[in-house]
Amino acid sequence: MLRHAIAPSRRFTKASHDVVRHARLTSDAKILLLAVQGLPEECASQPLSEHARKLGITGRAYQKSKELLVAHGYVHEWREQGERGRWVTEQLLSNVPLTPEAAAVLRQGRSEEPPSVPKPTVGAPAARVAGHQLPVDEEQEKNYPHPPSEAEAEAEAEAVVGGGAEPAPEAGLGPEAGLSPEAAEGERVLLSLRHVRRELYLGVKEARGLAELAARWLLRGVSAGELRRVLTSELPCDGVRSAVGFLRYRLMHKMPPELPVEAAPPPAETRPGVRELITCTASGAEEERHVFRPVADETECGPCRRQAAWELWERQRALTEAEPDPLPWRERFARIGVSGSEE
């Protein structure tokens, strides 16, 4: 690909590579951010929607661009009620991502760190050169499914400093090397905090040192999502000075109680032993004798008991059939009438 770029001498806006190459900002959001950044001071009183309308970004395109700028910390809004009861919306736009706390400090005009005075350039002025060098953190905006490990990055950095020779990897620095499943899960949670709050950025060695504390949380019934929410919520207003010290303090002092020990299950009932075979008492001749295994205290086998019950039913049936049929009711009434008249 051929390129022809001439650096303008006037009417230009300095754009950061982090904004131009941002993977999650749309083109409308980038154009709106750069356009408002280069406006003069007298246009600062106009709302962001007015500047977007002048650029032809309206409707759903403006709403989506504003949502992305707010989500990534480039735009902050405050809605307050004025003296006469009217609601006023104040907006802050920055060309670098800001946390809500840092934006609030800039809004109140109480920035703790004053802007540094740039050092004068040494040497004669030179012509402007179009930027072609990729930023160091060019690939930092990729959406990784899991927190990336820094072991490989540190090994490459040491190789560059050492003159290209690949140093031998230190023992125990591989991902999840020699860790329990809970400690490995806790280390992954600690390394993922950088994607939620940049103030909680941890290296591999730092996360490995806090993995055992995080594992104790997981062993006490806390899920990985709940642990991440506890570590990233309610941060100090003035920011976190040391991510390692802050996380160690919070892991130790907010640790949940241990789970109650569950009672041991009752022992399973043992089945009764198999009984010995006995001879059925209902068998007659020597040739017809047979044995069976009793269930309780019976002395006859099942087929013999069924045969005996069937024979008893046959005898009862024969006796019932041998009895004479009962007289019809007319004859019974007539017999009762005759016996009554004779008396």
Side-chain angles (χ1 to χ4, degrees):
M1 178 182 67
L2 301 177
R3 295 190 306 169
H4 177 67
I6 300 177
S9 59
R10 60 188 181 88
R11 298 177 60 83
F12 64 91
T13 299
K14 293 183 179 180
S16 172
H17 285 178
D18 295 337
V19 175
V20 175
R21 299 191 177 109
H22 202 293
R24 297 183 181 178
L25 291 180
T26 60
S27 58
D28 290 342
K30 296 176 183 179
I31 293 174
L32 180 60
L33 177 60
L34 297 177
V36 177
Q37 174 187 343
L39 291 175
E41 191 67 27
E42 56 268 16
C43 297
S45 59
Q46 298 179 357
L48 186 63
S49 59
E50 183 66 20
H51 298 300
R53 187 186 61 81
K54 294 179 180 179
L55 296 173
I57 304 174
T58 59
R60 180 54 187 164
Y62 166 70
Q63 295 177 2
K64 185 176 181 181
S65 302
K66 181 181 176 183
E67 290 175 0
L68 292 174
L69 292 175
V70 172
H72 292 86
Y74 291 99
V75 173
H76 298 268
E77 287 186 341
W78 297 273
R79 187 174 175 82
E80 296 179 349
Q81 194 169 11
E83 298 178 356
R84 298 185 179 181
R86 295 183 178 180
W87 289 94
V88 180
T89 301
E90 188 174 359
Q91 296 176 330
L92 171 64
L93 185 139
S94 173
N95 61 345
V96 293
L98 295 177
T99 61
E101 294 79 9
V105 172
L106 292 177
R107 179 197 178 198
Q108 298 174 2
R110 295 186 291 104
S111 179
E112 298 180 359
E113 298 182 0
S116 58
V117 178
K119 295 182 180 181
T121 305
V122 179
R128 296 179 181 270
V129 180
H132 61 277
Q133 184 178 3
L134 295 178
V136 178
D137 52 350
E138 176 64 19
E139 302 297 333
Q140 68 178 358
E141 297 298 337
K142 284 189 176 181
N143 187 14
Y144 294 97
H146 298 286
S149 175
E150 295 184 355
E152 299 180 359
E154 292 182 358
E156 293 177 1
E158 293 177 1
V160 173
V161 175
E166 295 184 356
E170 299 182 10
L173 286 184
E176 306 178 5
L179 295 178
S180 62
E182 292 78 12
E185 180 68 19
E187 181 182 359
R188 287 194 292 268
V189 172
L190 293 172
L191 289 175
S192 68
L193 299 181
R194 69 185 71 176
H195 303 288
V196 182
R197 300 298 293 267
R198 290 184 176 271
E199 304 166 274
L200 303 179
Y201 188 98
L202 291 179
V204 175
K205 295 182 180 179
E206 296 172 338
R208 186 66 53 84
L210 300 177
E212 293 299 332
L213 285 175
R216 292 169 60 184
W217 282 65
L218 300 177
L219 290 174
R220 299 188 179 192
V222 179
S223 64
E226 293 176 352
L227 177 59
R228 186 180 296 106
R229 182 183 57 80
V230 171
L231 296 179
T232 56
S233 61
E234 299 180 1
L235 299 183
C237 297
D238 55 349
V240 178
R241 298 181 180 179
S242 173
V244 179
F246 172 78
L247 293 175
R248 180 181 291 109
Y249 181 86
R250 180 158 287 193
L251 286 171
M252 294 179 60
H253 289 79
K254 285 196 173 185
M255 186 171 297
E258 296 183 0
L259 297 176
V261 181
E262 298 181 357
E269 298 181 358
T270 57
R271 294 183 178 181
V274 180
R275 297 195 176 188
E276 298 293 336
L277 295 173
I278 61 174
T279 304
C280 179
T281 58
S283 55
E286 186 70 23
E287 295 81 3
E288 298 179 357
R289 287 188 178 182
H290 54 275
V291 295
F292 73 99
R293 198 180 303 277
V295 178
D297 299 332
E298 64 273 12
T299 57
E300 298 179 359
C301 64
C304 291
R305 281 181 291 165
R306 288 193 294 271
Q307 183 64 27
W310 179 261
E311 293 176 356
L312 176 61
W313 180 81
E314 289 286 348
R315 291 195 297 269
Q316 294 291 341
R317 179 184 178 185
L319 293 176
T320 303
E321 291 179 352
E323 294 181 356
D325 295 337
L327 295 173
W329 64 275
R330 295 180 183 274
E331 295 180 7
R332 289 201 304 269
F333 274 101
R335 184 176 296 182
I336 291 175
V338 171
S339 59
S341 62
E342 292 178 356
E343 295 177 357

